Amino acid sequence: MERTVLIMIAIPIPFFGFVYLNSESPIFFFNVPQLPGFWEYFGLGTVFTLLLAQFVVFQKESKGIVNSNYDLPIKLHSYSKASFKRFGLLLVAALISALGLFLFENPGYTVSFAIALLFFSVAKPSPDRIIRSLKLVGEEKELVNGLKRRG
């Protein structure tokens, strides 16, 4: 799971980096079509909606897992699915941010990308985060802590 999450984090960074550096000091000149202003703010609204949605969806799914009577392997599998959904939304938000900066050169897209990176960093699964998110205690907590020692 950790490897896949790291790949999802790494995918948008080179795209955004290229677009950001080229917008600050152009080396390559692209013939970008002029789109109506509606699309600039629609894209920005979409990104911030995705950033909010990933948080809300993950919290809701985590709460469902905590309130379930599932065994630990099923809880971890459910947590993994919720995490991938969260990182998928973050990946889309980061890619739209890069595209928005490319098309509109609006600094709001830089801010949205930074927020997406912050969520990527804060949400990256670790044994401690899993224990805290799923409110594990006792033997379940020790088993997940054992992953930290082995990993």
Side-chain angles (χ1 to χ4, degrees):
M1 182 165 117
E2 185 176 356
R3 181 180 59 230
T4 306
V5 167
L6 290 174
I7 290 169
M8 292 175 90
I9 292 170
I11 288 172
I13 291 175
F15 295 115
F16 187 84
F18 173 77
V19 170
Y20 179 78
L21 291 173
N22 200 57
S23 71
E24 292 297 312
S25 177
I27 295 173
F28 299 102
F29 296 93
F30 298 98
N31 199 5
V32 179
Q34 291 294 340
L35 298 174
F38 164 80
W39 292 110
E40 178 177 355
Y41 296 104
F42 178 79
L44 206 49
T46 301
V47 170
F48 282 106
T49 300
L50 288 170
L51 291 173
L52 181 63
Q54 63 81 27
F55 181 78
V56 171
V57 167
F58 183 78
Q59 292 302 317
K60 181 181 175 189
E61 291 188 13
S62 291
K63 189 175 182 181
I65 297 167
V66 168
N67 294 332
S68 71
N69 292 325
Y70 299 142
D71 292 334
L72 183 61
I74 295 172
K75 284 183 180 180
L76 292 176
H77 179 72
S78 299
Y79 181 85
S80 174
K81 285 175 42 178
S83 292
F84 284 129
K85 191 180 295 183
R86 179 181 211 176
F87 281 95
L89 291 171
L90 286 170
L91 175 63
V92 170
L95 290 173
I96 292 173
S97 294
L99 181 64
L101 184 62
F102 176 72
L103 293 174
F104 305 110
E105 295 185 3
N106 181 331
Y109 287 103
T110 304
V111 172
S112 66
F113 187 80
I115 293 170
L117 285 182
L118 178 70
F119 274 118
F120 269 124
S121 175
V122 169
K124 188 172 161 279
S126 71
D128 292 330
R129 286 193 183 109
I130 294 170
I131 290 167
R132 197 171 38 251
S133 294
L134 299 181
K135 298 179 180 159
L136 299 177
V137 293
E139 186 179 331
E140 289 180 337
K141 180 179 178 179
E142 291 304 316
L143 286 171
V144 172
N145 265 330
L147 297 174
K148 182 173 30 178
R149 287 185 219 105
R150 280 190 278 157

